[in-house]
PDB file of all heavy atoms in Angstrom:
ATOM      1  N   TRP A 248     -35.178  38.244 -33.862  1.00 98.00           N
ATOM      2  CA  TRP A 248     -36.141  39.082 -34.557  1.00 98.00           C
ATOM      3  C   TRP A 248     -36.164  40.439 -33.861  1.00 98.00           C
ATOM      4  O   TRP A 248     -36.217  40.512 -32.628  1.00 98.00           O
ATOM      5  CB  TRP A 248     -37.540  38.475 -34.549  1.00 98.00           C
ATOM      6  CG  TRP A 248     -37.724  37.360 -35.525  1.00 98.00           C
ATOM      7  CD1 TRP A 248     -37.644  36.032 -35.272  1.00 98.00           C
ATOM      8  CD2 TRP A 248     -38.041  37.490 -36.917  1.00 98.00           C
ATOM      9  NE1 TRP A 248     -37.887  35.312 -36.413  1.00 98.00           N
ATOM     10  CE2 TRP A 248     -38.137  36.180 -37.444  1.00 98.00           C
ATOM     11  CE3 TRP A 248     -38.254  38.571 -37.765  1.00 98.00           C
ATOM     12  CZ2 TRP A 248     -38.436  35.928 -38.778  1.00 98.00           C
ATOM     13  CZ3 TRP A 248     -38.548  38.326 -39.101  1.00 98.00           C
ATOM     14  CH2 TRP A 248     -38.634  37.024 -39.595  1.00 98.00           C
ATOM     15  N   PHE A 249     -36.143  41.490 -34.653  1.00 98.00           N
ATOM     16  CA  PHE A 249     -36.185  42.856 -34.159  1.00 98.00           C
ATOM     17  C   PHE A 249     -37.218  43.628 -34.961  1.00 98.00           C
ATOM     18  O   PHE A 249     -37.632  43.201 -36.036  1.00 98.00           O
ATOM     19  CB  PHE A 249     -34.803  43.513 -34.286  1.00 98.00           C
ATOM     20  CG  PHE A 249     -33.727  42.789 -33.518  1.00 98.00           C
ATOM     21  CD1 PHE A 249     -33.070  41.700 -34.078  1.00 98.00           C
ATOM     22  CD2 PHE A 249     -33.383  43.181 -32.236  1.00 98.00           C
ATOM     23  CE1 PHE A 249     -32.089  41.021 -33.376  1.00 98.00           C
ATOM     24  CE2 PHE A 249     -32.404  42.511 -31.523  1.00 98.00           C
ATOM     25  CZ  PHE A 249     -31.759  41.422 -32.095  1.00 98.00           C
ATOM     26  N   ARG A 250     -37.639  44.759 -34.440  1.00 98.00           N
ATOM     27  CA  ARG A 250     -38.602  45.570 -35.168  1.00 98.00           C
ATOM     28  C   ARG A 250     -38.309  47.049 -34.964  1.00 98.00           C
ATOM     29  O   ARG A 250     -37.708  47.452 -33.973  1.00 98.00           O
ATOM     30  CB  ARG A 250     -40.035  45.247 -34.733  1.00 98.00           C
ATOM     31  CG  ARG A 250     -40.357  45.600 -33.291  1.00 98.00           C
ATOM     32  CD  ARG A 250     -41.738  45.080 -32.924  1.00 98.00           C
ATOM     33  NE  ARG A 250     -42.129  45.464 -31.580  1.00 98.00           N
ATOM     34  CZ  ARG A 250     -43.238  45.064 -30.981  1.00 98.00           C
ATOM     35  NH1 ARG A 250     -44.091  44.250 -31.627  1.00 98.00           N
ATOM     36  NH2 ARG A 250     -43.517  45.463 -29.743  1.00 98.00           N
ATOM     37  N   GLN A 251     -38.761  47.842 -35.921  1.00 98.00           N
ATOM     38  CA  GLN A 251     -38.543  49.275 -35.854  1.00 98.00           C
ATOM     39  C   GLN A 251     -39.731  50.001 -36.476  1.00 98.00           C
ATOM     40  O   GLN A 251     -40.070  49.768 -37.634  1.00 98.00           O
ATOM     41  CB  GLN A 251     -37.258  49.672 -36.566  1.00 98.00           C
ATOM     42  CG  GLN A 251     -36.883  51.134 -36.400  1.00 98.00           C
ATOM     43  CD  GLN A 251     -35.481  51.424 -36.870  1.00 98.00           C
ATOM     44  OE1 GLN A 251     -34.928  50.707 -37.710  1.00 98.00           O
ATOM     45  NE2 GLN A 251     -34.880  52.470 -36.338  1.00 98.00           N
ATOM     46  N   ALA A 252     -40.343  50.867 -35.697  1.00 97.00           N
ATOM     47  CA  ALA A 252     -41.420  51.716 -36.178  1.00 97.00           C
ATOM     48  C   ALA A 252     -40.837  53.058 -36.606  1.00 97.00           C
ATOM     49  O   ALA A 252     -39.775  53.464 -36.109  1.00 97.00           O
ATOM     50  CB  ALA A 252     -42.468  51.921 -35.087  1.00 97.00           C
ATOM     51  N   PRO A 253     -41.493  53.780 -37.518  1.00 93.00           N
ATOM     52  CA  PRO A 253     -40.971  55.069 -37.979  1.00 93.00           C
ATOM     53  C   PRO A 253     -40.693  56.019 -36.827  1.00 93.00           C
ATOM     54  O   PRO A 253     -41.525  56.197 -35.940  1.00 93.00           O
ATOM     55  CB  PRO A 253     -42.090  55.593 -38.879  1.00 93.00           C
ATOM     56  CG  PRO A 253     -42.762  54.367 -39.383  1.00 93.00           C
ATOM     57  CD  PRO A 253     -42.735  53.415 -38.212  1.00 93.00           C
ATOM     58  N   GLY A 254     -39.500  56.606 -36.828  1.00 94.00           N
ATOM     59  CA  GLY A 254     -39.131  57.561 -35.805  1.00 94.00           C
ATOM     60  C   GLY A 254     -38.722  56.963 -34.481  1.00 94.00           C
ATOM     61  O   GLY A 254     -38.432  57.711 -33.533  1.00 94.00           O
ATOM     62  N   LYS A 255     -38.694  55.643 -34.380  1.00 96.00           N
ATOM     63  CA  LYS A 255     -38.334  54.988 -33.134  1.00 96.00           C
ATOM     64  C   LYS A 255     -37.098  54.122 -33.314  1.00 96.00           C
ATOM     65  O   LYS A 255     -36.732  53.755 -34.419  1.00 96.00           O
ATOM     66  CB  LYS A 255     -39.498  54.135 -32.619  1.00 96.00           C
ATOM     67  CG  LYS A 255     -40.732  54.934 -32.243  1.00 96.00           C
ATOM     68  CD  LYS A 255     -41.781  54.053 -31.609  1.00 96.00           C
ATOM     69  CE  LYS A 255     -42.980  54.865 -31.168  1.00 96.00           C
ATOM     70  NZ  LYS A 255     -44.009  54.013 -30.518  1.00 96.00           N
ATOM     71  N   GLU A 256     -36.455  53.798 -32.196  1.00 96.00           N
ATOM     72  CA  GLU A 256     -35.283  52.943 -32.224  1.00 96.00           C
ATOM     73  C   GLU A 256     -35.679  51.495 -32.474  1.00 96.00           C
ATOM     74  O   GLU A 256     -36.781  51.070 -32.143  1.00 96.00           O
ATOM     75  CB  GLU A 256     -34.517  53.045 -30.904  1.00 96.00           C
ATOM     76  CG  GLU A 256     -33.919  54.412 -30.628  1.00 96.00           C
ATOM     77  CD  GLU A 256     -33.121  54.442 -29.343  1.00 96.00           C
ATOM     78  OE1 GLU A 256     -33.172  53.455 -28.578  1.00 96.00           O
ATOM     79  OE2 GLU A 256     -32.440  55.442 -29.108  1.00 96.00           O
ATOM     80  N   ARG A 257     -34.758  50.754 -33.063  1.00 96.00           N
ATOM     81  CA  ARG A 257     -34.975  49.334 -33.261  1.00 96.00           C
ATOM     82  C   ARG A 257     -34.991  48.635 -31.904  1.00 96.00           C
ATOM     83  O   ARG A 257     -34.181  48.934 -31.029  1.00 96.00           O
ATOM     84  CB  ARG A 257     -33.874  48.755 -34.144  1.00 96.00           C
ATOM     85  CG  ARG A 257     -34.139  47.359 -34.648  1.00 96.00           C
ATOM     86  CD  ARG A 257     -33.152  46.994 -35.762  1.00 96.00           C
ATOM     87  NE  ARG A 257     -33.309  47.884 -36.915  1.00 96.00           N
ATOM     88  CZ  ARG A 257     -32.622  47.753 -38.047  1.00 96.00           C
ATOM     89  NH1 ARG A 257     -31.738  46.766 -38.175  1.00 96.00           N
ATOM     90  NH2 ARG A 257     -32.813  48.607 -39.034  1.00 96.00           N
ATOM     91  N   GLU A 258     -35.933  47.711 -31.721  1.00 96.00           N
ATOM     92  CA  GLU A 258     -36.053  47.014 -30.461  1.00 96.00           C
ATOM     93  C   GLU A 258     -36.116  45.509 -30.671  1.00 96.00           C
ATOM     94  O   GLU A 258     -36.524  45.023 -31.721  1.00 96.00           O
ATOM     95  CB  GLU A 258     -37.294  47.479 -29.698  1.00 96.00           C
ATOM     96  CG  GLU A 258     -38.604  47.162 -30.389  1.00 96.00           C
ATOM     97  CD  GLU A 258     -39.806  47.594 -29.574  1.00 96.00           C
ATOM     98  OE1 GLU A 258     -39.633  48.166 -28.486  1.00 96.00           O
ATOM     99  OE2 GLU A 258     -40.945  47.348 -30.033  1.00 96.00           O
ATOM    100  N   GLY A 259     -35.712  44.781 -29.642  1.00 97.00           N
ATOM    101  CA  GLY A 259     -35.723  43.335 -29.715  1.00 97.00           C
ATOM    102  C   GLY A 259     -37.127  42.773 -29.618  1.00 97.00           C
ATOM    103  O   GLY A 259     -37.997  43.321 -28.932  1.00 97.00           O
ATOM    104  N   VAL A 260     -37.340  41.654 -30.296  1.00 98.00           N
ATOM    105  CA  VAL A 260     -38.610  40.940 -30.255  1.00 98.00           C
ATOM    106  C   VAL A 260     -38.415  39.564 -29.619  1.00 98.00           C
ATOM    107  O   VAL A 260     -39.044  39.236 -28.612  1.00 98.00           O
ATOM    108  CB  VAL A 260     -39.224  40.801 -31.656  1.00 98.00           C
ATOM    109  CG1 VAL A 260     -40.497  39.961 -31.608  1.00 98.00           C
ATOM    110  CG2 VAL A 260     -39.493  42.172 -32.257  1.00 98.00           C
ATOM    111  N   ALA A 261     -37.534  38.757 -30.213  1.00 98.00           N
ATOM    112  CA  ALA A 261     -37.296  37.411 -29.715  1.00 98.00           C
ATOM    113  C   ALA A 261     -35.941  36.914 -30.188  1.00 98.00           C
ATOM    114  O   ALA A 261     -35.443  37.344 -31.225  1.00 98.00           O
ATOM    115  CB  ALA A 261     -38.396  36.452 -30.181  1.00 98.00           C
ATOM    116  N   VAL A 262     -35.361  35.988 -29.436  1.00 97.00           N
ATOM    117  CA  VAL A 262     -34.061  35.413 -29.748  1.00 97.00           C
ATOM    118  C   VAL A 262     -34.135  33.903 -29.580  1.00 97.00           C
ATOM    119  O   VAL A 262     -34.758  33.407 -28.639  1.00 97.00           O
ATOM    120  CB  VAL A 262     -32.957  35.981 -28.826  1.00 97.00           C
ATOM    121  CG1 VAL A 262     -31.646  35.225 -29.006  1.00 97.00           C
ATOM    122  CG2 VAL A 262     -32.766  37.463 -29.082  1.00 97.00           C
ATOM    123  N   ILE A 263     -33.505  33.180 -30.496  1.00 96.00           N
ATOM    124  CA  ILE A 263     -33.343  31.741 -30.337  1.00 96.00           C
ATOM    125  C   ILE A 263     -31.851  31.435 -30.345  1.00 96.00           C
ATOM    126  O   ILE A 263     -31.112  31.894 -31.210  1.00 96.00           O
ATOM    127  CB  ILE A 263     -34.111  30.947 -31.412  1.00 96.00           C
ATOM    128  CG1 ILE A 263     -34.054  29.444 -31.112  1.00 96.00           C
ATOM    129  CG2 ILE A 263     -33.612  31.252 -32.821  1.00 96.00           C
ATOM    130  CD1 ILE A 263     -35.098  28.638 -31.882  1.00 96.00           C
ATOM    131  N   TYR A 264     -31.415  30.662 -29.352  1.00 94.00           N
ATOM    132  CA  TYR A 264     -30.006  30.356 -29.177  1.00 94.00           C
ATOM    133  C   TYR A 264     -29.585  29.177 -30.049  1.00 94.00           C
ATOM    134  O   TYR A 264     -30.437  28.451 -30.567  1.00 94.00           O
ATOM    135  CB  TYR A 264     -29.719  30.082 -27.700  1.00 94.00           C
ATOM    136  CG  TYR A 264     -29.663  31.344 -26.876  1.00 94.00           C
ATOM    137  CD1 TYR A 264     -30.825  31.966 -26.430  1.00 94.00           C
ATOM    138  CD2 TYR A 264     -28.442  31.937 -26.559  1.00 94.00           C
ATOM    139  CE1 TYR A 264     -30.776  33.142 -25.701  1.00 94.00           C
ATOM    140  CE2 TYR A 264     -28.386  33.104 -25.826  1.00 94.00           C
ATOM    141  CZ  TYR A 264     -29.557  33.703 -25.397  1.00 94.00           C
ATOM    142  OH  TYR A 264     -29.493  34.873 -24.665  1.00 94.00           O
ATOM    143  N   PRO A 265     -28.257  28.977 -30.232  1.00 90.00           N
ATOM    144  CA  PRO A 265     -27.782  27.896 -31.096  1.00 90.00           C
ATOM    145  C   PRO A 265     -28.429  26.560 -30.786  1.00 90.00           C
ATOM    146  O   PRO A 265     -28.591  26.190 -29.621  1.00 90.00           O
ATOM    147  CB  PRO A 265     -26.279  27.862 -30.815  1.00 90.00           C
ATOM    148  CG  PRO A 265     -25.947  29.272 -30.482  1.00 90.00           C
ATOM    149  CD  PRO A 265     -27.140  29.772 -29.703  1.00 90.00           C
ATOM    150  N   ASN A 266     -28.805  25.866 -31.843  1.00 89.00           N
ATOM    151  CA  ASN A 266     -29.449  24.558 -31.752  1.00 89.00           C
ATOM    152  C   ASN A 266     -30.763  24.595 -30.986  1.00 89.00           C
ATOM    153  O   ASN A 266     -31.232  23.554 -30.514  1.00 89.00           O
ATOM    154  CB  ASN A 266     -28.499  23.534 -31.134  1.00 89.00           C
ATOM    155  CG  ASN A 266     -27.242  23.346 -31.956  1.00 89.00           C
ATOM    156  OD1 ASN A 266     -27.311  23.154 -33.172  1.00 89.00           O
ATOM    157  ND2 ASN A 266     -26.086  23.408 -31.295  1.00 89.00           N
ATOM    158  N   GLY A 267     -31.352  25.756 -30.867  1.00 90.00           N
ATOM    159  CA  GLY A 267     -32.622  25.902 -30.182  1.00 90.00           C
ATOM    160  C   GLY A 267     -32.564  25.578 -28.704  1.00 90.00           C
ATOM    161  O   GLY A 267     -33.581  25.184 -28.118  1.00 90.00           O
ATOM    162  N   ARG A 268     -31.392  25.731 -28.100  1.00 91.00           N
ATOM    163  CA  ARG A 268     -31.221  25.375 -26.691  1.00 91.00           C
ATOM    164  C   ARG A 268     -32.126  26.179 -25.769  1.00 91.00           C
ATOM    165  O   ARG A 268     -32.551  25.680 -24.723  1.00 91.00           O
ATOM    166  CB  ARG A 268     -29.765  25.546 -26.274  1.00 91.00           C
ATOM    167  CG  ARG A 268     -28.814  24.535 -26.889  1.00 91.00           C
ATOM    168  CD  ARG A 268     -27.391  24.804 -26.456  1.00 91.00           C
ATOM    169  NE  ARG A 268     -26.916  26.098 -26.924  1.00 91.00           N
ATOM    170  CZ  ARG A 268     -25.747  26.632 -26.607  1.00 91.00           C
ATOM    171  NH1 ARG A 268     -24.905  25.967 -25.827  1.00 91.00           N
ATOM    172  NH2 ARG A 268     -25.407  27.826 -27.078  1.00 91.00           N
ATOM    173  N   SER A 269     -32.392  27.412 -26.139  1.00 95.00           N
ATOM    174  CA  SER A 269     -33.269  28.247 -25.340  1.00 95.00           C
ATOM    175  C   SER A 269     -33.777  29.389 -26.205  1.00 95.00           C
ATOM    176  O   SER A 269     -33.259  29.642 -27.296  1.00 95.00           O
ATOM    177  CB  SER A 269     -32.561  28.781 -24.097  1.00 95.00           C
ATOM    178  OG  SER A 269     -31.480  29.622 -24.452  1.00 95.00           O
ATOM    179  N   THR A 270     -34.780  30.062 -25.704  1.00 97.00           N
ATOM    180  CA  THR A 270     -35.340  31.226 -26.381  1.00 97.00           C
ATOM    181  C   THR A 270     -35.519  32.350 -25.377  1.00 97.00           C
ATOM    182  O   THR A 270     -35.572  32.123 -24.173  1.00 97.00           O
ATOM    183  CB  THR A 270     -36.691  30.912 -27.040  1.00 97.00           C
ATOM    184  OG1 THR A 270     -37.603  30.419 -26.050  1.00 97.00           O
ATOM    185  CG2 THR A 270     -36.535  29.864 -28.135  1.00 97.00           C
ATOM    186  N   TYR A 271     -35.612  33.561 -25.885  1.00 97.00           N
ATOM    187  CA  TYR A 271     -35.847  34.725 -25.054  1.00 97.00           C
ATOM    188  C   TYR A 271     -36.858  35.615 -25.744  1.00 97.00           C
ATOM    189  O   TYR A 271     -36.761  35.872 -26.945  1.00 97.00           O
ATOM    190  CB  TYR A 271     -34.548  35.504 -24.813  1.00 97.00           C
ATOM    191  CG  TYR A 271     -34.742  36.729 -23.958  1.00 97.00           C
ATOM    192  CD1 TYR A 271     -34.693  36.647 -22.574  1.00 97.00           C
ATOM    193  CD2 TYR A 271     -34.998  37.971 -24.543  1.00 97.00           C
ATOM    194  CE1 TYR A 271     -34.887  37.761 -21.787  1.00 97.00           C
ATOM    195  CE2 TYR A 271     -35.196  39.092 -23.754  1.00 97.00           C
ATOM    196  CZ  TYR A 271     -35.136  38.986 -22.380  1.00 97.00           C
ATOM    197  OH  TYR A 271     -35.332  40.093 -21.594  1.00 97.00           O
ATOM    198  N   TYR A 272     -37.831  36.083 -24.987  1.00 98.00           N
ATOM    199  CA  TYR A 272     -38.843  36.989 -25.511  1.00 98.00           C
ATOM    200  C   TYR A 272     -38.816  38.301 -24.742  1.00 98.00           C
ATOM    201  O   TYR A 272     -38.796  38.306 -23.511  1.00 98.00           O
ATOM    202  CB  TYR A 272     -40.235  36.367 -25.409  1.00 98.00           C
ATOM    203  CG  TYR A 272     -40.367  35.104 -26.228  1.00 98.00           C
ATOM    204  CD1 TYR A 272     -40.154  33.856 -25.662  1.00 98.00           C
ATOM    205  CD2 TYR A 272     -40.690  35.172 -27.583  1.00 98.00           C
ATOM    206  CE1 TYR A 272     -40.257  32.705 -26.423  1.00 98.00           C
ATOM    207  CE2 TYR A 272     -40.793  34.029 -28.341  1.00 98.00           C
ATOM    208  CZ  TYR A 272     -40.576  32.802 -27.764  1.00 98.00           C
ATOM    209  OH  TYR A 272     -40.682  31.651 -28.520  1.00 98.00           O
ATOM    210  N   TYR A 273     -38.821  39.387 -25.479  1.00 97.00           N
ATOM    211  CA  TYR A 273     -38.886  40.693 -24.846  1.00 97.00           C
ATOM    212  C   TYR A 273     -40.297  40.925 -24.318  1.00 97.00           C
ATOM    213  O   TYR A 273     -41.275  40.360 -24.824  1.00 97.00           O
ATOM    214  CB  TYR A 273     -38.453  41.774 -25.837  1.00 97.00           C
ATOM    215  CG  TYR A 273     -36.977  41.701 -26.134  1.00 97.00           C
ATOM    216  CD1 TYR A 273     -36.476  40.775 -27.048  1.00 97.00           C
ATOM    217  CD2 TYR A 273     -36.073  42.533 -25.482  1.00 97.00           C
ATOM    218  CE1 TYR A 273     -35.115  40.683 -27.305  1.00 97.00           C
ATOM    219  CE2 TYR A 273     -34.712  42.449 -25.738  1.00 97.00           C
ATOM    220  CZ  TYR A 273     -34.240  41.522 -26.650  1.00 97.00           C
ATOM    221  OH  TYR A 273     -32.885  41.445 -26.903  1.00 97.00           O
ATOM    222  N   ALA A 274     -40.381  41.747 -23.292  1.00 96.00           N
ATOM    223  CA  ALA A 274     -41.614  41.869 -22.522  1.00 96.00           C
ATOM    224  C   ALA A 274     -42.839  42.227 -23.361  1.00 96.00           C
ATOM    225  O   ALA A 274     -43.935  41.734 -23.098  1.00 96.00           O
ATOM    226  CB  ALA A 274     -41.428  42.896 -21.407  1.00 96.00           C
ATOM    227  N   SER A 275     -42.668  43.052 -24.374  1.00 95.00           N
ATOM    228  CA  SER A 275     -43.806  43.530 -25.145  1.00 95.00           C
ATOM    229  C   SER A 275     -44.513  42.440 -25.948  1.00 95.00           C
ATOM    230  O   SER A 275     -45.670  42.614 -26.326  1.00 95.00           O
ATOM    231  CB  SER A 275     -43.368  44.655 -26.085  1.00 95.00           C
ATOM    232  OG  SER A 275     -42.407  44.197 -27.015  1.00 95.00           O
ATOM    233  N   VAL A 276     -43.825  41.321 -26.203  1.00 96.00           N
ATOM    234  CA  VAL A 276     -44.414  40.262 -27.029  1.00 96.00           C
ATOM    235  C   VAL A 276     -44.544  38.938 -26.298  1.00 96.00           C
ATOM    236  O   VAL A 276     -45.126  37.990 -26.844  1.00 96.00           O
ATOM    237  CB  VAL A 276     -43.610  40.045 -28.329  1.00 96.00           C
ATOM    238  CG1 VAL A 276     -43.437  41.354 -29.074  1.00 96.00           C
ATOM    239  CG2 VAL A 276     -42.258  39.407 -28.038  1.00 96.00           C
ATOM    240  N   LYS A 277     -44.042  38.863 -25.097  1.00 96.00           N
ATOM    241  CA  LYS A 277     -44.044  37.606 -24.351  1.00 96.00           C
ATOM    242  C   LYS A 277     -45.469  37.091 -24.169  1.00 96.00           C
ATOM    243  O   LYS A 277     -46.371  37.819 -23.778  1.00 96.00           O
ATOM    244  CB  LYS A 277     -43.381  37.802 -22.994  1.00 96.00           C
ATOM    245  CG  LYS A 277     -43.030  36.502 -22.291  1.00 96.00           C
ATOM    246  CD  LYS A 277     -42.176  36.774 -21.055  1.00 96.00           C
ATOM    247  CE  LYS A 277     -41.708  35.490 -20.409  1.00 96.00           C
ATOM    248  NZ  LYS A 277     -40.830  35.759 -19.239  1.00 96.00           N
ATOM    249  N   GLY A 278     -45.654  35.819 -24.481  1.00 97.00           N
ATOM    250  CA  GLY A 278     -46.958  35.197 -24.379  1.00 97.00           C
ATOM    251  C   GLY A 278     -47.781  35.286 -25.647  1.00 97.00           C
ATOM    252  O   GLY A 278     -48.816  34.613 -25.753  1.00 97.00           O
ATOM    253  N   ARG A 279     -47.359  36.091 -26.600  1.00 98.00           N
ATOM    254  CA  ARG A 279     -48.082  36.258 -27.853  1.00 98.00           C
ATOM    255  C   ARG A 279     -47.296  35.757 -29.069  1.00 98.00           C
ATOM    256  O   ARG A 279     -47.892  35.289 -30.029  1.00 98.00           O
ATOM    257  CB  ARG A 279     -48.444  37.731 -28.074  1.00 98.00           C
ATOM    258  CG  ARG A 279     -49.333  38.315 -26.978  1.00 98.00           C
ATOM    259  CD  ARG A 279     -49.813  39.714 -27.344  1.00 98.00           C
ATOM    260  NE  ARG A 279     -48.695  40.659 -27.456  1.00 98.00           N
ATOM    261  CZ  ARG A 279     -48.421  41.370 -28.549  1.00 98.00           C
ATOM    262  NH1 ARG A 279     -49.177  41.246 -29.637  1.00 98.00           N
ATOM    263  NH2 ARG A 279     -47.402  42.218 -28.557  1.00 98.00           N
ATOM    264  N   PHE A 280     -45.977  35.898 -29.032  1.00 98.00           N
ATOM    265  CA  PHE A 280     -45.125  35.527 -30.165  1.00 98.00           C
ATOM    266  C   PHE A 280     -44.316  34.284 -29.825  1.00 98.00           C
ATOM    267  O   PHE A 280     -43.969  34.050 -28.661  1.00 98.00           O
ATOM    268  CB  PHE A 280     -44.151  36.651 -30.511  1.00 98.00           C
ATOM    269  CG  PHE A 280     -44.778  37.899 -31.077  1.00 98.00           C
ATOM    270  CD1 PHE A 280     -46.152  38.077 -31.112  1.00 98.00           C
ATOM    271  CD2 PHE A 280     -43.961  38.903 -31.584  1.00 98.00           C
ATOM    272  CE1 PHE A 280     -46.714  39.234 -31.632  1.00 98.00           C
ATOM    273  CE2 PHE A 280     -44.508  40.063 -32.106  1.00 98.00           C
ATOM    274  CZ  PHE A 280     -45.885  40.230 -32.133  1.00 98.00           C
ATOM    275  N   THR A 281     -43.974  33.504 -30.857  1.00 98.00           N
ATOM    276  CA  THR A 281     -43.150  32.318 -30.693  1.00 98.00           C
ATOM    277  C   THR A 281     -42.087  32.275 -31.784  1.00 98.00           C
ATOM    278  O   THR A 281     -42.410  32.384 -32.966  1.00 98.00           O
ATOM    279  CB  THR A 281     -43.985  31.031 -30.759  1.00 98.00           C
ATOM    280  OG1 THR A 281     -45.011  31.063 -29.760  1.00 98.00           O
ATOM    281  CG2 THR A 281     -43.107  29.811 -30.517  1.00 98.00           C
ATOM    282  N   ILE A 282     -40.827  32.118 -31.384  1.00 98.00           N
ATOM    283  CA  ILE A 282     -39.736  31.968 -32.338  1.00 98.00           C
ATOM    284  C   ILE A 282     -39.378  30.494 -32.439  1.00 98.00           C
ATOM    285  O   ILE A 282     -39.359  29.780 -31.439  1.00 98.00           O
ATOM    286  CB  ILE A 282     -38.512  32.823 -31.927  1.00 98.00           C
ATOM    287  CG1 ILE A 282     -37.441  32.804 -33.025  1.00 98.00           C
ATOM    288  CG2 ILE A 282     -37.940  32.380 -30.590  1.00 98.00           C
ATOM    289  CD1 ILE A 282     -36.316  33.807 -32.794  1.00 98.00           C
ATOM    290  N   SER A 283     -39.092  30.036 -33.649  1.00 97.00           N
ATOM    291  CA  SER A 283     -38.754  28.637 -33.863  1.00 97.00           C
ATOM    292  C   SER A 283     -37.846  28.501 -35.074  1.00 97.00           C
ATOM    293  O   SER A 283     -37.663  29.449 -35.844  1.00 97.00           O
ATOM    294  CB  SER A 283     -40.017  27.786 -34.047  1.00 97.00           C
ATOM    295  OG  SER A 283     -40.744  28.203 -35.190  1.00 97.00           O
ATOM    296  N   GLN A 284     -37.273  27.305 -35.244  1.00 95.00           N
ATOM    297  CA  GLN A 284     -36.389  27.017 -36.373  1.00 95.00           C
ATOM    298  C   GLN A 284     -36.803  25.737 -37.060  1.00 95.00           C
ATOM    299  O   GLN A 284     -37.245  24.779 -36.417  1.00 95.00           O
ATOM    300  CB  GLN A 284     -34.938  26.858 -35.912  1.00 95.00           C
ATOM    301  CG  GLN A 284     -34.232  28.129 -35.536  1.00 95.00           C
ATOM    302  CD  GLN A 284     -32.796  27.873 -35.114  1.00 95.00           C
ATOM    303  OE1 GLN A 284     -32.477  26.814 -34.579  1.00 95.00           O
ATOM    304  NE2 GLN A 284     -31.940  28.846 -35.348  1.00 95.00           N
ATOM    305  N   ASP A 285     -36.637  25.715 -38.373  1.00 93.00           N
ATOM    306  CA  ASP A 285     -36.744  24.500 -39.168  1.00 93.00           C
ATOM    307  C   ASP A 285     -35.351  24.275 -39.743  1.00 93.00           C
ATOM    308  O   ASP A 285     -34.958  24.935 -40.708  1.00 93.00           O
ATOM    309  CB  ASP A 285     -37.779  24.642 -40.268  1.00 93.00           C
ATOM    310  CG  ASP A 285     -37.984  23.365 -41.064  1.00 93.00           C
ATOM    311  OD1 ASP A 285     -37.032  22.570 -41.189  1.00 93.00           O
ATOM    312  OD2 ASP A 285     -39.099  23.151 -41.564  1.00 93.00           O
ATOM    313  N   ASN A 286     -34.602  23.359 -39.143  1.00 90.00           N
ATOM    314  CA  ASN A 286     -33.216  23.161 -39.550  1.00 90.00           C
ATOM    315  C   ASN A 286     -33.095  22.648 -40.988  1.00 90.00           C
ATOM    316  O   ASN A 286     -32.157  22.998 -41.697  1.00 90.00           O
ATOM    317  CB  ASN A 286     -32.517  22.200 -38.593  1.00 90.00           C
ATOM    318  CG  ASN A 286     -32.342  22.790 -37.217  1.00 90.00           C
ATOM    319  OD1 ASN A 286     -32.301  24.006 -37.044  1.00 90.00           O
ATOM    320  ND2 ASN A 286     -32.228  21.924 -36.217  1.00 90.00           N
ATOM    321  N   ALA A 287     -34.033  21.817 -41.406  1.00 89.00           N
ATOM    322  CA  ALA A 287     -33.990  21.272 -42.760  1.00 89.00           C
ATOM    323  C   ALA A 287     -34.119  22.378 -43.803  1.00 89.00           C
ATOM    324  O   ALA A 287     -33.530  22.287 -44.879  1.00 89.00           O
ATOM    325  CB  ALA A 287     -35.079  20.231 -42.949  1.00 89.00           C
ATOM    326  N   GLU A 288     -34.896  23.414 -43.480  1.00 91.00           N
ATOM    327  CA  GLU A 288     -35.102  24.517 -44.406  1.00 91.00           C
ATOM    328  C   GLU A 288     -34.164  25.688 -44.125  1.00 91.00           C
ATOM    329  O   GLU A 288     -34.178  26.672 -44.866  1.00 91.00           O
ATOM    330  CB  GLU A 288     -36.548  25.000 -44.341  1.00 91.00           C
ATOM    331  CG  GLU A 288     -37.569  23.959 -44.768  1.00 91.00           C
ATOM    332  CD  GLU A 288     -37.476  23.622 -46.236  1.00 91.00           C
ATOM    333  OE1 GLU A 288     -37.065  24.502 -47.030  1.00 91.00           O
ATOM    334  OE2 GLU A 288     -37.791  22.480 -46.608  1.00 91.00           O
ATOM    335  N   ASN A 289     -33.369  25.586 -43.045  1.00 92.00           N
ATOM    336  CA  ASN A 289     -32.470  26.666 -42.651  1.00 92.00           C
ATOM    337  C   ASN A 289     -33.244  27.978 -42.515  1.00 92.00           C
ATOM    338  O   ASN A 289     -32.813  29.030 -42.986  1.00 92.00           O
ATOM    339  CB  ASN A 289     -31.324  26.824 -43.654  1.00 92.00           C
ATOM    340  CG  ASN A 289     -30.086  27.446 -43.049  1.00 92.00           C
ATOM    341  OD1 ASN A 289     -29.787  27.256 -41.868  1.00 92.00           O
ATOM    342  ND2 ASN A 289     -29.349  28.207 -43.852  1.00 92.00           N
TER     343      ASN A 289
END
């Protein structure tokens, strides 16, 4: 997940690795946002 505000560069939000092996959160959202997958719904 990435985000971009008007006039600013696109920045990372969160990443989930293949098969949900691990996740990574960028500092600005860590502790507030959660990335997840529903494999059945892709």
